[in-house]
PDB file of all heavy atoms in Angstrom:
ATOM      1  N   SER F   1      14.300 -10.520   4.368  1.00 97.00           N
ATOM      2  CA  SER F   1      14.448 -11.680   5.246  1.00 97.00           C
ATOM      3  C   SER F   1      15.686 -11.533   6.145  1.00 97.00           C
ATOM      4  O   SER F   1      15.678 -11.948   7.298  1.00 97.00           O
ATOM      5  CB  SER F   1      14.550 -12.923   4.407  1.00 97.00           C
ATOM      6  OG  SER F   1      13.380 -13.167   3.630  1.00 97.00           O
ATOM      7  N   ILE F   2      16.764 -10.988   5.593  1.00 97.00           N
ATOM      8  CA  ILE F   2      17.989 -10.784   6.407  1.00 97.00           C
ATOM      9  C   ILE F   2      17.683  -9.832   7.577  1.00 97.00           C
ATOM     10  O   ILE F   2      18.110 -10.081   8.720  1.00 97.00           O
ATOM     11  CB  ILE F   2      19.100 -10.197   5.545  1.00 97.00           C
ATOM     12  CG1 ILE F   2      19.653 -11.344   4.620  1.00 97.00           C
ATOM     13  CG2 ILE F   2      20.217  -9.635   6.369  1.00 97.00           C
ATOM     14  CD1 ILE F   2      20.623 -10.828   3.540  1.00 97.00           C
ATOM     15  N   ILE F   3      16.957  -8.745   7.308  1.00 98.00           N
ATOM     16  CA  ILE F   3      16.571  -7.838   8.392  1.00 98.00           C
ATOM     17  C   ILE F   3      15.715  -8.582   9.423  1.00 98.00           C
ATOM     18  O   ILE F   3      15.973  -8.482  10.635  1.00 98.00           O
ATOM     19  CB  ILE F   3      15.809  -6.631   7.811  1.00 98.00           C
ATOM     20  CG1 ILE F   3      16.743  -5.795   6.914  1.00 98.00           C
ATOM     21  CG2 ILE F   3      15.234  -5.760   8.937  1.00 98.00           C
ATOM     22  CD1 ILE F   3      16.004  -4.688   6.156  1.00 98.00           C
ATOM     23  N   ALA F   4      14.708  -9.304   8.963  1.00 97.00           N
ATOM     24  CA  ALA F   4      13.780  -9.960   9.874  1.00 97.00           C
ATOM     25  C   ALA F   4      14.501 -11.033  10.703  1.00 97.00           C
ATOM     26  O   ALA F   4      14.311 -11.136  11.927  1.00 97.00           O
ATOM     27  CB  ALA F   4      12.634 -10.612   9.069  1.00 97.00           C
ATOM     28  N   LEU F   5      15.376 -11.839  10.065  1.00 97.00           N
ATOM     29  CA  LEU F   5      16.063 -12.906  10.775  1.00 97.00           C
ATOM     30  C   LEU F   5      17.066 -12.324  11.796  1.00 97.00           C
ATOM     31  O   LEU F   5      17.253 -12.869  12.857  1.00 97.00           O
ATOM     32  CB  LEU F   5      16.785 -13.797   9.779  1.00 97.00           C
ATOM     33  CG  LEU F   5      15.894 -14.697   8.938  1.00 97.00           C
ATOM     34  CD1 LEU F   5      16.646 -15.277   7.773  1.00 97.00           C
ATOM     35  CD2 LEU F   5      15.227 -15.797   9.790  1.00 97.00           C
ATOM     36  N   SER F   6      17.692 -11.193  11.442  1.00 97.00           N
ATOM     37  CA  SER F   6      18.603 -10.551  12.396  1.00 97.00           C
ATOM     38  C   SER F   6      17.835 -10.089  13.622  1.00 97.00           C
ATOM     39  O   SER F   6      18.312 -10.257  14.772  1.00 97.00           O
ATOM     40  CB  SER F   6      19.283  -9.357  11.701  1.00 97.00           C
ATOM     41  OG  SER F   6      20.036  -9.755  10.570  1.00 97.00           O
ATOM     42  N   VAL F   7      16.694  -9.473  13.404  1.00 97.00           N
ATOM     43  CA  VAL F   7      15.867  -8.979  14.505  1.00 97.00           C
ATOM     44  C   VAL F   7      15.374 -10.137  15.382  1.00 97.00           C
ATOM     45  O   VAL F   7      15.440 -10.090  16.621  1.00 97.00           O
ATOM     46  CB  VAL F   7      14.694  -8.151  13.973  1.00 97.00           C
ATOM     47  CG1 VAL F   7      13.709  -7.792  15.128  1.00 97.00           C
ATOM     48  CG2 VAL F   7      15.194  -6.877  13.312  1.00 97.00           C
ATOM     49  N   PHE F   8      14.895 -11.225  14.743  1.00 97.00           N
ATOM     50  CA  PHE F   8      14.415 -12.365  15.536  1.00 97.00           C
ATOM     51  C   PHE F   8      15.568 -13.024  16.296  1.00 97.00           C
ATOM     52  O   PHE F   8      15.374 -13.467  17.426  1.00 97.00           O
ATOM     53  CB  PHE F   8      13.727 -13.381  14.613  1.00 97.00           C
ATOM     54  CG  PHE F   8      12.355 -13.025  14.238  1.00 97.00           C
ATOM     55  CD1 PHE F   8      11.938 -13.080  12.883  1.00 97.00           C
ATOM     56  CD2 PHE F   8      11.431 -12.615  15.176  1.00 97.00           C
ATOM     57  CE1 PHE F   8      10.647 -12.771  12.526  1.00 97.00           C
ATOM     58  CE2 PHE F   8      10.133 -12.281  14.827  1.00 97.00           C
ATOM     59  CZ  PHE F   8       9.750 -12.338  13.513  1.00 97.00           C
ATOM     60  N   THR F   9      16.752 -13.088  15.711  1.00 96.00           N
ATOM     61  CA  THR F   9      17.907 -13.590  16.430  1.00 96.00           C
ATOM     62  C   THR F   9      18.137 -12.816  17.713  1.00 96.00           C
ATOM     63  O   THR F   9      18.309 -13.397  18.796  1.00 96.00           O
ATOM     64  CB  THR F   9      19.141 -13.552  15.544  1.00 96.00           C
ATOM     65  OG1 THR F   9      18.951 -14.399  14.385  1.00 96.00           O
ATOM     66  CG2 THR F   9      20.374 -14.096  16.298  1.00 96.00           C
ATOM     67  N   TYR F  10      18.154 -11.504  17.602  1.00 95.00           N
ATOM     68  CA  TYR F  10      18.364 -10.632  18.759  1.00 95.00           C
ATOM     69  C   TYR F  10      17.299 -10.854  19.813  1.00 95.00           C
ATOM     70  O   TYR F  10      17.642 -11.031  21.030  1.00 95.00           O
ATOM     71  CB  TYR F  10      18.402  -9.163  18.334  1.00 95.00           C
ATOM     72  CG  TYR F  10      18.407  -8.200  19.484  1.00 95.00           C
ATOM     73  CD1 TYR F  10      19.570  -7.917  20.155  1.00 95.00           C
ATOM     74  CD2 TYR F  10      17.212  -7.629  19.932  1.00 95.00           C
ATOM     75  CE1 TYR F  10      19.580  -7.058  21.241  1.00 95.00           C
ATOM     76  CE2 TYR F  10      17.203  -6.775  21.030  1.00 95.00           C
ATOM     77  CZ  TYR F  10      18.380  -6.449  21.669  1.00 95.00           C
ATOM     78  OH  TYR F  10      18.372  -5.608  22.726  1.00 95.00           O
ATOM     79  N   TYR F  11      16.060 -10.859  19.394  1.00 95.00           N
ATOM     80  CA  TYR F  11      14.983 -10.922  20.362  1.00 95.00           C
ATOM     81  C   TYR F  11      14.845 -12.336  21.026  1.00 95.00           C
ATOM     82  O   TYR F  11      14.509 -12.448  22.194  1.00 95.00           O
ATOM     83  CB  TYR F  11      13.646 -10.510  19.775  1.00 95.00           C
ATOM     84  CG  TYR F  11      13.503  -9.002  19.749  1.00 95.00           C
ATOM     85  CD1 TYR F  11      13.690  -8.270  18.591  1.00 95.00           C
ATOM     86  CD2 TYR F  11      13.208  -8.276  20.920  1.00 95.00           C
ATOM     87  CE1 TYR F  11      13.588  -6.889  18.557  1.00 95.00           C
ATOM     88  CE2 TYR F  11      13.100  -6.893  20.913  1.00 95.00           C
ATOM     89  CZ  TYR F  11      13.285  -6.197  19.733  1.00 95.00           C
ATOM     90  OH  TYR F  11      13.216  -4.821  19.739  1.00 95.00           O
ATOM     91  N   PHE F  12      15.117 -13.389  20.265  1.00 94.00           N
ATOM     92  CA  PHE F  12      15.083 -14.709  20.877  1.00 94.00           C
ATOM     93  C   PHE F  12      16.227 -14.899  21.852  1.00 94.00           C
ATOM     94  O   PHE F  12      16.083 -15.575  22.882  1.00 94.00           O
ATOM     95  CB  PHE F  12      15.106 -15.795  19.788  1.00 94.00           C
ATOM     96  CG  PHE F  12      13.770 -16.088  19.154  1.00 94.00           C
ATOM     97  CD1 PHE F  12      13.570 -15.970  17.807  1.00 94.00           C
ATOM     98  CD2 PHE F  12      12.675 -16.429  19.984  1.00 94.00           C
ATOM     99  CE1 PHE F  12      12.339 -16.217  17.254  1.00 94.00           C
ATOM    100  CE2 PHE F  12      11.426 -16.681  19.413  1.00 94.00           C
ATOM    101  CZ  PHE F  12      11.256 -16.565  18.047  1.00 94.00           C
ATOM    102  N   ILE F  13      17.382 -14.311  21.537  1.00 93.00           N
ATOM    103  CA  ILE F  13      18.484 -14.320  22.539  1.00 93.00           C
ATOM    104  C   ILE F  13      18.070 -13.537  23.784  1.00 93.00           C
ATOM    105  O   ILE F  13      18.294 -13.966  24.932  1.00 93.00           O
ATOM    106  CB  ILE F  13      19.767 -13.741  21.926  1.00 93.00           C
ATOM    107  CG1 ILE F  13      20.325 -14.689  20.848  1.00 93.00           C
ATOM    108  CG2 ILE F  13      20.830 -13.498  23.023  1.00 93.00           C
ATOM    109  CD1 ILE F  13      21.505 -14.132  20.095  1.00 93.00           C
ATOM    110  N   ASP F  14      17.426 -12.400  23.568  1.00 92.00           N
ATOM    111  CA  ASP F  14      16.986 -11.563  24.687  1.00 92.00           C
ATOM    112  C   ASP F  14      15.952 -12.317  25.527  1.00 92.00           C
ATOM    113  O   ASP F  14      15.890 -12.114  26.744  1.00 92.00           O
ATOM    114  CB  ASP F  14      16.419 -10.257  24.171  1.00 92.00           C
ATOM    115  CG  ASP F  14      16.058  -9.283  25.274  1.00 92.00           C
ATOM    116  OD1 ASP F  14      16.960  -8.939  26.083  1.00 92.00           O
ATOM    117  OD2 ASP F  14      14.887  -8.851  25.369  1.00 92.00           O
ATOM    118  N   LEU F  15      15.127 -13.128  24.882  1.00 91.00           N
ATOM    119  CA  LEU F  15      14.124 -13.905  25.598  1.00 91.00           C
ATOM    120  C   LEU F  15      14.653 -15.242  26.116  1.00 91.00           C
ATOM    121  O   LEU F  15      13.900 -16.052  26.670  1.00 91.00           O
ATOM    122  CB  LEU F  15      12.928 -14.171  24.649  1.00 91.00           C
ATOM    123  CG  LEU F  15      12.088 -12.974  24.251  1.00 91.00           C
ATOM    124  CD1 LEU F  15      11.173 -13.303  23.100  1.00 91.00           C
ATOM    125  CD2 LEU F  15      11.248 -12.459  25.441  1.00 91.00           C
ATOM    126  N   ARG F  16      15.999 -15.452  25.920  1.00 89.00           N
ATOM    127  CA  ARG F  16      16.672 -16.659  26.428  1.00 89.00           C
ATOM    128  C   ARG F  16      16.113 -17.933  25.800  1.00 89.00           C
ATOM    129  O   ARG F  16      15.955 -18.950  26.492  1.00 89.00           O
ATOM    130  CB  ARG F  16      16.575 -16.721  27.986  1.00 89.00           C
ATOM    131  CG  ARG F  16      17.237 -15.536  28.669  1.00 89.00           C
ATOM    132  CD  ARG F  16      16.804 -15.374  30.093  1.00 89.00           C
ATOM    133  NE  ARG F  16      15.397 -15.112  30.208  1.00 89.00           N
ATOM    134  CZ  ARG F  16      14.812 -13.942  29.971  1.00 89.00           C
ATOM    135  NH1 ARG F  16      15.545 -12.917  29.600  1.00 89.00           N
ATOM    136  NH2 ARG F  16      13.500 -13.786  30.086  1.00 89.00           N
ATOM    137  N   ASN F  17      15.768 -17.850  24.567  1.00 89.00           N
ATOM    138  CA  ASN F  17      15.248 -19.009  23.812  1.00 89.00           C
ATOM    139  C   ASN F  17      16.290 -19.461  22.783  1.00 89.00           C
ATOM    140  O   ASN F  17      16.322 -18.981  21.644  1.00 89.00           O
ATOM    141  CB  ASN F  17      13.926 -18.647  23.142  1.00 89.00           C
ATOM    142  CG  ASN F  17      13.177 -19.873  22.663  1.00 89.00           C
ATOM    143  OD1 ASN F  17      13.751 -20.701  21.966  1.00 89.00           O
ATOM    144  ND2 ASN F  17      11.908 -19.992  23.030  1.00 89.00           N
ATOM    145  N   ILE F  18      17.178 -20.356  23.173  1.00 88.00           N
ATOM    146  CA  ILE F  18      18.327 -20.726  22.371  1.00 88.00           C
ATOM    147  C   ILE F  18      17.915 -21.468  21.093  1.00 88.00           C
ATOM    148  O   ILE F  18      18.521 -21.274  20.025  1.00 88.00           O
ATOM    149  CB  ILE F  18      19.310 -21.618  23.210  1.00 88.00           C
ATOM    150  CG1 ILE F  18      20.564 -21.907  22.358  1.00 88.00           C
ATOM    151  CG2 ILE F  18      18.666 -22.897  23.651  1.00 88.00           C
ATOM    152  CD1 ILE F  18      21.384 -20.708  22.076  1.00 88.00           C
ATOM    153  N   VAL F  19      16.854 -22.272  21.185  1.00 87.00           N
ATOM    154  CA  VAL F  19      16.457 -23.079  19.985  1.00 87.00           C
ATOM    155  C   VAL F  19      16.075 -22.178  18.811  1.00 87.00           C
ATOM    156  O   VAL F  19      16.525 -22.378  17.691  1.00 87.00           O
ATOM    157  CB  VAL F  19      15.302 -24.039  20.368  1.00 87.00           C
ATOM    158  CG1 VAL F  19      14.742 -24.698  19.104  1.00 87.00           C
ATOM    159  CG2 VAL F  19      15.792 -25.093  21.349  1.00 87.00           C
ATOM    160  N   PHE F  20      15.235 -21.192  19.076  1.00 91.00           N
ATOM    161  CA  PHE F  20      14.760 -20.346  17.991  1.00 91.00           C
ATOM    162  C   PHE F  20      15.744 -19.314  17.590  1.00 91.00           C
ATOM    163  O   PHE F  20      15.714 -18.813  16.456  1.00 91.00           O
ATOM    164  CB  PHE F  20      13.381 -19.774  18.352  1.00 91.00           C
ATOM    165  CG  PHE F  20      12.329 -20.844  18.459  1.00 91.00           C
ATOM    166  CD1 PHE F  20      11.884 -21.260  19.672  1.00 91.00           C
ATOM    167  CD2 PHE F  20      11.827 -21.421  17.329  1.00 91.00           C
ATOM    168  CE1 PHE F  20      10.947 -22.269  19.786  1.00 91.00           C
ATOM    169  CE2 PHE F  20      10.856 -22.431  17.424  1.00 91.00           C
ATOM    170  CZ  PHE F  20      10.436 -22.860  18.630  1.00 91.00           C
ATOM    171  N   ALA F  21      16.643 -18.939  18.521  1.00 94.00           N
ATOM    172  CA  ALA F  21      17.764 -18.071  18.130  1.00 94.00           C
ATOM    173  C   ALA F  21      18.666 -18.753  17.159  1.00 94.00           C
ATOM    174  O   ALA F  21      19.115 -18.173  16.160  1.00 94.00           O
ATOM    175  CB  ALA F  21      18.534 -17.603  19.388  1.00 94.00           C
ATOM    176  N   VAL F  22      18.952 -20.053  17.403  1.00 93.00           N
ATOM    177  CA  VAL F  22      19.805 -20.847  16.521  1.00 93.00           C
ATOM    178  C   VAL F  22      19.119 -21.008  15.154  1.00 93.00           C
ATOM    179  O   VAL F  22      19.771 -20.880  14.094  1.00 93.00           O
ATOM    180  CB  VAL F  22      20.096 -22.207  17.154  1.00 93.00           C
ATOM    181  CG1 VAL F  22      20.719 -23.163  16.126  1.00 93.00           C
ATOM    182  CG2 VAL F  22      21.073 -22.035  18.314  1.00 93.00           C
ATOM    183  N   ALA F  23      17.828 -21.288  15.131  1.00 92.00           N
ATOM    184  CA  ALA F  23      17.100 -21.428  13.865  1.00 92.00           C
ATOM    185  C   ALA F  23      17.159 -20.125  13.077  1.00 92.00           C
ATOM    186  O   ALA F  23      17.389 -20.150  11.847  1.00 92.00           O
ATOM    187  CB  ALA F  23      15.645 -21.817  14.139  1.00 92.00           C
ATOM    188  N   SER F  24      16.970 -19.024  13.739  1.00 96.00           N
ATOM    189  CA  SER F  24      16.982 -17.710  13.050  1.00 96.00           C
ATOM    190  C   SER F  24      18.335 -17.407  12.461  1.00 96.00           C
ATOM    191  O   SER F  24      18.446 -17.021  11.284  1.00 96.00           O
ATOM    192  CB  SER F  24      16.560 -16.593  14.037  1.00 96.00           C
ATOM    193  OG  SER F  24      15.277 -16.806  14.547  1.00 96.00           O
ATOM    194  N   VAL F  25      19.376 -17.593  13.242  1.00 96.00           N
ATOM    195  CA  VAL F  25      20.704 -17.170  12.777  1.00 96.00           C
ATOM    196  C   VAL F  25      21.269 -18.204  11.763  1.00 96.00           C
ATOM    197  O   VAL F  25      22.069 -17.852  10.877  1.00 96.00           O
ATOM    198  CB  VAL F  25      21.669 -16.994  13.986  1.00 96.00           C
ATOM    199  CG1 VAL F  25      22.175 -18.324  14.498  1.00 96.00           C
ATOM    200  CG2 VAL F  25      22.833 -16.101  13.580  1.00 96.00           C
ATOM    201  N   GLY F  26      20.850 -19.485  11.866  1.00 95.00           N
ATOM    202  CA  GLY F  26      21.297 -20.451  10.859  1.00 95.00           C
ATOM    203  C   GLY F  26      20.736 -20.121   9.464  1.00 95.00           C
ATOM    204  O   GLY F  26      21.472 -20.141   8.486  1.00 95.00           O
ATOM    205  N   LEU F  27      19.455 -19.790   9.444  1.00 96.00           N
ATOM    206  CA  LEU F  27      18.846 -19.385   8.139  1.00 96.00           C
ATOM    207  C   LEU F  27      19.417 -18.072   7.713  1.00 96.00           C
ATOM    208  O   LEU F  27      19.604 -17.840   6.498  1.00 96.00           O
ATOM    209  CB  LEU F  27      17.318 -19.319   8.297  1.00 96.00           C
ATOM    210  CG  LEU F  27      16.541 -19.036   7.000  1.00 96.00           C
ATOM    211  CD1 LEU F  27      16.841 -20.040   5.927  1.00 96.00           C
ATOM    212  CD2 LEU F  27      15.027 -18.991   7.286  1.00 96.00           C
ATOM    213  N   LEU F  28      19.732 -17.195   8.646  1.00 97.00           N
ATOM    214  CA  LEU F  28      20.340 -15.910   8.302  1.00 97.00           C
ATOM    215  C   LEU F  28      21.655 -16.113   7.557  1.00 97.00           C
ATOM    216  O   LEU F  28      21.941 -15.405   6.591  1.00 97.00           O
ATOM    217  CB  LEU F  28      20.584 -15.087   9.574  1.00 97.00           C
ATOM    218  CG  LEU F  28      21.351 -13.765   9.428  1.00 97.00           C
ATOM    219  CD1 LEU F  28      20.577 -12.806   8.513  1.00 97.00           C
ATOM    220  CD2 LEU F  28      21.561 -13.125  10.795  1.00 97.00           C
ATOM    221  N   GLY F  29      22.466 -17.092   8.008  1.00 97.00           N
ATOM    222  CA  GLY F  29      23.728 -17.346   7.321  1.00 97.00           C
ATOM    223  C   GLY F  29      23.514 -17.786   5.866  1.00 97.00           C
ATOM    224  O   GLY F  29      24.187 -17.337   4.964  1.00 97.00           O
ATOM    225  N   ALA F  30      22.519 -18.671   5.688  1.00 96.00           N
ATOM    226  CA  ALA F  30      22.236 -19.195   4.338  1.00 96.00           C
ATOM    227  C   ALA F  30      21.737 -18.052   3.435  1.00 96.00           C
ATOM    228  O   ALA F  30      22.192 -17.923   2.281  1.00 96.00           O
ATOM    229  CB  ALA F  30      21.193 -20.272   4.431  1.00 96.00           C
ATOM    230  N   VAL F  31      20.805 -17.215   3.919  1.00 97.00           N
ATOM    231  CA  VAL F  31      20.245 -16.164   3.115  1.00 97.00           C
ATOM    232  C   VAL F  31      21.278 -15.064   2.794  1.00 97.00           C
ATOM    233  O   VAL F  31      21.293 -14.483   1.706  1.00 97.00           O
ATOM    234  CB  VAL F  31      18.999 -15.577   3.797  1.00 97.00           C
ATOM    235  CG1 VAL F  31      18.408 -14.448   2.951  1.00 97.00           C
ATOM    236  CG2 VAL F  31      17.947 -16.636   4.011  1.00 97.00           C
ATOM    237  N   SER F  32      22.153 -14.812   3.734  1.00 96.00           N
ATOM    238  CA  SER F  32      23.210 -13.785   3.527  1.00 96.00           C
ATOM    239  C   SER F  32      24.098 -14.168   2.360  1.00 96.00           C
ATOM    240  O   SER F  32      24.440 -13.302   1.517  1.00 96.00           O
ATOM    241  CB  SER F  32      24.034 -13.609   4.786  1.00 96.00           C
ATOM    242  OG  SER F  32      23.240 -13.150   5.861  1.00 96.00           O
ATOM    243  N   VAL F  33      24.508 -15.448   2.284  1.00 96.00           N
ATOM    244  CA  VAL F  33      25.368 -15.887   1.191  1.00 96.00           C
ATOM    245  C   VAL F  33      24.604 -15.817  -0.140  1.00 96.00           C
ATOM    246  O   VAL F  33      25.152 -15.381  -1.157  1.00 96.00           O
ATOM    247  CB  VAL F  33      25.890 -17.308   1.453  1.00 96.00           C
ATOM    248  CG1 VAL F  33      26.578 -17.881   0.209  1.00 96.00           C
ATOM    249  CG2 VAL F  33      26.846 -17.290   2.624  1.00 96.00           C
ATOM    250  N   PHE F  34      23.340 -16.249  -0.119  1.00 96.00           N
ATOM    251  CA  PHE F  34      22.523 -16.164  -1.341  1.00 96.00           C
ATOM    252  C   PHE F  34      22.417 -14.724  -1.814  1.00 96.00           C
ATOM    253  O   PHE F  34      22.499 -14.439  -3.028  1.00 96.00           O
ATOM    254  CB  PHE F  34      21.117 -16.744  -1.131  1.00 96.00           C
ATOM    255  CG  PHE F  34      20.186 -16.376  -2.244  1.00 96.00           C
ATOM    256  CD1 PHE F  34      20.174 -17.107  -3.415  1.00 96.00           C
ATOM    257  CD2 PHE F  34      19.321 -15.278  -2.161  1.00 96.00           C
ATOM    258  CE1 PHE F  34      19.376 -16.777  -4.488  1.00 96.00           C
ATOM    259  CE2 PHE F  34      18.512 -14.942  -3.211  1.00 96.00           C
ATOM    260  CZ  PHE F  34      18.518 -15.673  -4.376  1.00 96.00           C
ATOM    261  N   PHE F  35      22.211 -13.810  -0.887  1.00 96.00           N
ATOM    262  CA  PHE F  35      22.102 -12.387  -1.225  1.00 96.00           C
ATOM    263  C   PHE F  35      23.335 -11.908  -2.003  1.00 96.00           C
ATOM    264  O   PHE F  35      23.177 -11.175  -3.003  1.00 96.00           O
ATOM    265  CB  PHE F  35      21.951 -11.568   0.056  1.00 96.00           C
ATOM    266  CG  PHE F  35      21.775 -10.077  -0.157  1.00 96.00           C
ATOM    267  CD1 PHE F  35      20.523  -9.518  -0.320  1.00 96.00           C
ATOM    268  CD2 PHE F  35      22.885  -9.229  -0.149  1.00 96.00           C
ATOM    269  CE1 PHE F  35      20.349  -8.159  -0.519  1.00 96.00           C
ATOM    270  CE2 PHE F  35      22.723  -7.871  -0.352  1.00 96.00           C
ATOM    271  CZ  PHE F  35      21.452  -7.346  -0.523  1.00 96.00           C
ATOM    272  N   PHE F  36      24.488 -12.350  -1.593  1.00 94.00           N
ATOM    273  CA  PHE F  36      25.741 -11.966  -2.306  1.00 94.00           C
ATOM    274  C   PHE F  36      25.711 -12.512  -3.742  1.00 94.00           C
ATOM    275  O   PHE F  36      25.998 -11.743  -4.684  1.00 94.00           O
ATOM    276  CB  PHE F  36      26.931 -12.532  -1.552  1.00 94.00           C
ATOM    277  CG  PHE F  36      28.257 -12.223  -2.226  1.00 94.00           C
ATOM    278  CD1 PHE F  36      28.882 -11.006  -2.066  1.00 94.00           C
ATOM    279  CD2 PHE F  36      28.853 -13.164  -3.048  1.00 94.00           C
ATOM    280  CE1 PHE F  36      30.066 -10.726  -2.689  1.00 94.00           C
ATOM    281  CE2 PHE F  36      30.036 -12.893  -3.682  1.00 94.00           C
ATOM    282  CZ  PHE F  36      30.656 -11.675  -3.506  1.00 94.00           C
ATOM    283  N   PHE F  37      25.365 -13.770  -3.935  1.00 93.00           N
ATOM    284  CA  PHE F  37      25.306 -14.363  -5.290  1.00 93.00           C
ATOM    285  C   PHE F  37      24.243 -13.646  -6.145  1.00 93.00           C
ATOM    286  O   PHE F  37      24.467 -13.365  -7.308  1.00 93.00           O
ATOM    287  CB  PHE F  37      24.999 -15.837  -5.234  1.00 93.00           C
ATOM    288  CG  PHE F  37      26.181 -16.694  -4.861  1.00 93.00           C
ATOM    289  CD1 PHE F  37      26.321 -17.202  -3.597  1.00 93.00           C
ATOM    290  CD2 PHE F  37      27.132 -17.018  -5.823  1.00 93.00           C
ATOM    291  CE1 PHE F  37      27.401 -17.997  -3.268  1.00 93.00           C
ATOM    292  CE2 PHE F  37      28.213 -17.811  -5.493  1.00 93.00           C
ATOM    293  CZ  PHE F  37      28.359 -18.314  -4.210  1.00 93.00           C
ATOM    294  N   ASN F  38      23.077 -13.376  -5.528  1.00 92.00           N
ATOM    295  CA  ASN F  38      21.969 -12.787  -6.254  1.00 92.00           C
ATOM    296  C   ASN F  38      22.238 -11.348  -6.711  1.00 92.00           C
ATOM    297  O   ASN F  38      21.929 -10.948  -7.814  1.00 92.00           O
ATOM    298  CB  ASN F  38      20.726 -12.880  -5.377  1.00 92.00           C
ATOM    299  CG  ASN F  38      19.466 -12.351  -6.055  1.00 92.00           C
ATOM    300  OD1 ASN F  38      18.701 -11.618  -5.452  1.00 92.00           O
ATOM    301  ND2 ASN F  38      19.236 -12.702  -7.322  1.00 92.00           N
ATOM    302  N   VAL F  39      22.786 -10.553  -5.801  1.00 92.00           N
ATOM    303  CA  VAL F  39      22.956  -9.108  -6.051  1.00 92.00           C
ATOM    304  C   VAL F  39      24.268  -8.842  -6.785  1.00 92.00           C
ATOM    305  O   VAL F  39      24.298  -8.011  -7.688  1.00 92.00           O
ATOM    306  CB  VAL F  39      22.855  -8.327  -4.723  1.00 92.00           C
ATOM    307  CG1 VAL F  39      23.144  -6.834  -4.975  1.00 92.00           C
ATOM    308  CG2 VAL F  39      21.502  -8.487  -4.093  1.00 92.00           C
ATOM    309  N   PHE F  40      25.333  -9.510  -6.410  1.00 91.00           N
ATOM    310  CA  PHE F  40      26.652  -9.147  -6.945  1.00 91.00           C
ATOM    311  C   PHE F  40      27.240 -10.187  -7.903  1.00 91.00           C
ATOM    312  O   PHE F  40      28.312  -9.934  -8.485  1.00 91.00           O
ATOM    313  CB  PHE F  40      27.655  -8.957  -5.759  1.00 91.00           C
ATOM    314  CG  PHE F  40      27.192  -7.900  -4.809  1.00 91.00           C
ATOM    315  CD1 PHE F  40      26.725  -8.221  -3.538  1.00 91.00           C
ATOM    316  CD2 PHE F  40      27.263  -6.541  -5.160  1.00 91.00           C
ATOM    317  CE1 PHE F  40      26.328  -7.235  -2.645  1.00 91.00           C
ATOM    318  CE2 PHE F  40      26.852  -5.561  -4.277  1.00 91.00           C
ATOM    319  CZ  PHE F  40      26.370  -5.914  -3.011  1.00 91.00           C
TER     320      PHE F  40
END
């Protein structure tokens, strides 16, 4: 999910779609922190 959300963030920014770029990167922040708790 981190890989997918990072890619979607990049492409939505490239497509000048701020709403879905924000949605992608907001969830990316949440999942990144969970990844740390889950793995480490």
Side-chain angles (χ1 to χ4, degrees):
S1 299
I2 287 170
I3 294 172
L5 290 166
S6 300
V7 172
F8 281 132
T9 298
Y10 170 81
Y11 278 103
F12 279 123
I13 291 173
D14 186 56
L15 291 166
R16 298 163 299 282
N17 193 309
I18 184 66
V19 171
F20 294 103
V22 167
S24 300
V25 79
L27 185 56
L28 175 61
V31 179
S32 298
V33 170
F34 167 81
F35 182 88
F36 178 83
F37 281 102
N38 182 224
V39 176
F40 302 107

